[in-house]
Amino acid sequence: LEKDELAGYNFQAEFLKPFECIMVGPPPVSKEVKDYLVYIISYMTDASFQSIRSGWKAVLHICAAAAQDPALSEGTIEVAFKVVEKVNADSCYHLFLENFTDGIRALLAFASCKVEKKPGKDGKEAKPEMSVQAIQYLLKAADKLADPQTDLPAASSLSQDPAITDGHPAAVWFPILRGLSMLVGDPRRDVRALALNGVFDILREHGKQVFDEDTWRMVFNGVIKPLFDDIHHQLAPQSDRKDGQDNEGRPDAGHWASMGPPTCLAALTQLVRLIEA
């Protein structure tokens, strides 16, 4: 990793590919091996931070996989998160922009990570500090995208909407907005509150300046409408719901089971403020 890469050949990405395959591969890989692998990646990024170029893609994939693995310990996941934090530092943010889509995927993985934290000394449930910090980094990414001095990164959209192609301006915004809107259904109060406020803060503060009519239409159809479809589903009588499905037949209705009346009211309030802005 200390050597300069040859033009047209991403040696670092090829070198780290086996590590990535182990981490995201089939279940037979033991927890101990994955723990060890995360610590190796952490050591590599510490020792060769300034030299890593194409390797960041694999590094971010490994960290995201760690956040999504329920078998890994809190300590291992925190080590992986610290690696992601390094590229979110102001002095190194160009690295995050160069690997924007993979960075957003990693942050969303940590934001939704529900690793069990030990209760505090007072017996109260520990706050999801890592998830909250990951959401703060997502909001920071939105602020950077809105900055006229920032060169928009090449990004592929995480959306399944065929209208949002990789070259469309909405492609860099949609992963953040859609990811935050999905977190509104998180069972942890701090996470869903910050995610809900984040979605509408981005739209209210940056939408007028950077979104054209086409982008607003995509945001409405791909972010706002699905969010309120799920709210409508939560407010509907239990008899009107299909077992295991939401009001559009989607199988992930349980993801939104924690969205109670306070969250629904807050979302409606935020929508009114957005329209009035």
Side-chain angles (χ1 to χ4, degrees), residues 35 55 94 120 206 211 235 243 255 257 261 264:
D35 281 337
H94 64 283
H206 305 312
F211 289 1
L235 297 177
D243 294 338
H255 176 75
C264 298

Side-chain angles (χ1 to χ4, degrees), residues 74 78 113-132 187-191:
E74 176 188 342
E78 287 181 347
C113 178
K114 301 176 182 63
V115 60
E116 294 185 5
K117 296 182 71 70
K118 297 179 181 178
K121 294 181 180 179
D122 56 1
K124 294 182 179 179
E125 182 180 353
K127 292 186 177 181
E129 296 177 358
M130 184 173 61
S131 294
V132 168
R188 297 164 296 177
R189 182 178 59 185
D190 291 345
V191 172

Side-chain angles (χ1 to χ4, degrees), residues 241-264:
R241 307 180 192 179
K242 297 179 181 179
D243 294 338
Q245 293 185 334
D246 64 11
N247 58 323
E248 293 185 358
R250 291 171 296 191
D252 59 348
H255 176 75
W256 298 90
S258 61
M259 185 187 287
T263 302
C264 298

Side-chain angles (χ1 to χ4, degrees), residues 42-84:
S42 176
Y43 174 78
M44 284 183 177
T45 54
D46 280 337
S48 307
F49 185 84
Q50 299 298 332
S51 303
I52 301 177
R53 295 292 180 268
S54 67
W56 280 116
K57 185 180 183 70
V59 168
L60 291 169
H61 286 179
I62 291 170
C63 292
Q68 295 171 323
D69 194 331
L72 298 184
S73 66
E74 176 188 342
T76 299
I77 294 175
E78 287 181 347
V79 168
F81 184 60
K82 287 179 180 179
V83 174
V84 177

Side-chain angles (χ1 to χ4, degrees), residues 130-151:
M130 184 173 61
S131 294
V132 168
Q133 185 60 56
I135 294 175
Q136 295 286 7
Y137 285 136
L138 289 168
L139 300 180
K140 176 182 177 179
D143 290 339
K144 290 289 186 180
L145 290 179
D147 187 345
Q149 297 181 348
T150 301
D151 293 330

Side-chain angles (χ1 to χ4, degrees), residues 5-265:
E5 290 191 296
L6 299 175
Y9 181 64
N10 297 328
F11 169 76
Q12 294 178 355
E14 294 295 328
F15 175 76
L16 293 173
K17 191 66 176 178
F19 294 88
E20 182 182 349
C21 291
I22 292 172
M23 197 68 192
V24 303
V29 179
S30 69
K31 170 187 175 297
E32 290 74 18
V33 170
K34 291 185 176 181
D35 281 337
Y36 187 48
L37 192 152
V38 170
Y39 280 91
I40 290 174
I41 293 299
S42 176
Y43 174 78
M44 284 183 177
T45 54
D46 280 337
S48 307
F49 185 84
Q50 299 298 332
S51 303
I52 301 177
R53 295 292 180 268
S54 67
W56 280 116
K57 185 180 183 70
V59 168
L60 291 169
H61 286 179
I62 291 170
C63 292
Q68 295 171 323
D69 194 331
L72 298 184
S73 66
E74 176 188 342
T76 299
I77 294 175
E78 287 181 347
V79 168
F81 184 60
K82 287 179 180 179
V83 174
V84 177
E85 284 190 304
K86 293 172 187 174
V87 295
N88 277 277
D90 290 338
S91 58
C92 307
Y93 206 72
H94 64 283
L95 296 173
F96 185 85
L97 291 176
E98 290 170 3
N99 300 273
F100 185 77
T101 302
D102 299 305
I104 294 299
R105 281 195 178 99
L107 290 176
L108 289 173
F110 284 104
S112 60
C113 178
K114 301 176 182 63
V115 60
E116 294 185 5
K117 296 182 71 70
K118 297 179 181 178
K121 294 181 180 179
D122 56 1
K124 294 182 179 179
E125 182 180 353
K127 292 186 177 181
E129 296 177 358
M130 184 173 61
S131 294
V132 168
Q133 185 60 56
I135 294 175
Q136 295 286 7
Y137 285 136
L138 289 168
L139 300 180
K140 176 182 177 179
D143 290 339
K144 290 289 186 180
L145 290 179
D147 187 345
Q149 297 181 348
T150 301
D151 293 330
L152 289 181
S156 58
S157 174
L158 301 184
S159 168
Q160 296 180 352
D161 188 343
I164 305 180
T165 59
D166 290 354
H168 195 282
V172 293
W173 287 96
F174 207 91
I176 299 174
L177 292 169
R178 184 58 178 155
L180 288 173
S181 71
M182 291 298 295
L183 289 169
V184 175
D186 195 280
R188 297 164 296 177
R189 182 178 59 185
D190 291 345
V191 172
R192 64 176 179 263
L194 185 58
L196 176 62
N197 291 335
V199 170
F200 286 97
D201 285 349
I202 290 172
L203 295 176
R204 192 166 50 249
E205 294 173 9
H206 305 312
K208 287 185 178 180
Q209 289 75 26
V210 299
F211 289 1
D212 57 18
E213 182 179 346
D214 191 37
T215 301
W216 271 114
R217 187 178 297 108
M218 291 181 178
V219 168
F220 176 80
N221 291 327
V223 178
I224 297 177
K225 187 175 181 293
L227 175 59
F228 282 91
D229 282 345
D230 290 309
I231 290 176
H232 175 72
H233 169 67
Q234 288 302 313
L235 297 177
Q238 187 69 32
S239 59
D240 292 345
R241 307 180 192 179
K242 297 179 181 179
D243 294 338
Q245 293 185 334
D246 64 11
N247 58 323
E248 293 185 358
R250 291 171 296 191
D252 59 348
H255 176 75
W256 298 90
S258 61
M259 185 187 287
T263 302
C264 298
L265 178 60

